[in-house]
Amino acid sequence: KLLAERQAFWHEFWPKSFLHITSPRGEGDFLENLWHLFFYDLASMSRGTLCPKLNGGNWMVEKDSRWWGGGYWHQNTREIFWPAYAANRVELTQPFFDLYGRAAACARENGRVGLGVDGYYIPEWIPIHVAAAKARRQIKPPGGYTAFIFTVGLEVSLQAWWRYEFTGDERFLREYA
């Protein structure tokens, strides 16, 4: 039954977007293979409860050793999802929005307590406990040069707008964005 479900998923998945590149010396074929491998990885990692991570995702090769730790760094996480819009794979972006949606309560608290404003502040780094559940406490940025990157909320909003532009999903725009 599990095999039949997986086969049905991939049978439906691949025809939705297609890329064919070829070139005399093989560079195009190589790029096409990378494209298919990327979307295979993203589709494999975007069906669970956690957002795919930049540093290994689900494909850890050395236990669970991650050079950048277990949290999410926005500057790297956002890039994983950029190709999904133009490739007609918008559904693969859902874990990205789930991650930042779960962080909304913390972001509101960050604005109030951390910055003294009635607004949201999403730091560059979000710890894994926020990614896994609806946390209700302030997210403490790791400090250093990333402590005052104020563009994360703007960039998450931009991706929400891209999603709306590619889908026309006004409900998503109203309820999430």
Side-chain angles (χ1 to χ4, degrees):
K1 181 180 176 187
L2 183 59
L3 176 60
E5 288 172 3
R6 293 299 95 214
Q7 287 173 332
F9 173 83
W10 291 112
H11 182 74
E12 183 181 324
F13 179 83
W14 289 116
K16 191 171 177 183
S17 58
F18 179 79
L19 177 73
H20 177 66
I21 305 173
T22 190
S23 61
R25 294 186 350 205
E27 298 93 341
D29 307 82
F30 180 69
L31 289 173
E32 178 184 329
N33 287 337
L34 289 177
W35 188 87
H36 284 95
L37 178 62
F38 171 80
F39 280 104
Y40 172 79
D41 285 348
L42 188 59
S44 296
M45 294 185 289
S46 291
R47 296 192 314 239
T49 57
L50 287 178
C51 183
K53 287 190 49 52
L54 75 125
N55 53 351
N58 295 350
W59 318 122
M60 300 306 297
V61 295
E62 187 183 335
K63 301 177 186 162
D64 193 22
S65 176
R66 298 181 191 269
W67 291 104
W68 284 45
Y72 288 87
W73 294 85
H74 179 261
Q75 298 301 324
N76 303 104
T77 303
R78 66 187 178 156
E79 296 167 356
I80 296 170
F81 299 96
W82 285 348
Y85 302 99
N88 196 30
R89 303 304 335 181
V90 175
E91 75 280 3
L92 298 179
T93 66
Q94 189 58 46
F96 176 82
F97 295 109
D98 289 346
L99 169 67
Y100 288 100
R102 285 190 294 269
C106 290
R108 185 65 182 242
E109 187 68 4
N110 281 347
R112 189 181 68 74
V113 174
L115 301 176
V117 298
D118 182 21
Y120 293 79
Y121 167 61
I122 304 171
E124 166 61 21
W125 178 79
I126 295 179
I128 195 74
H129 77 274
V130 172
K134 288 187 177 183
R136 298 273 182 223
R137 59 186 167 140
Q138 186 180 10
I139 303 169
K140 303 264 193 256
Y145 69 94
T146 65
F148 296 102
I149 295 176
F150 295 111
T151 60
V152 176
L154 178 63
E155 291 185 46
V156 172
S157 299
L158 177 62
Q159 282 209 44
W161 183 254
W162 290 345
R163 182 171 168 158
Y164 167 71
E165 283 188 320
F166 276 90
T167 65
D169 185 350
E170 291 183 13
R171 181 177 175 204
F172 170 81
L173 192 62
R174 257 191 330 273
E175 294 177 10
Y176 178 84

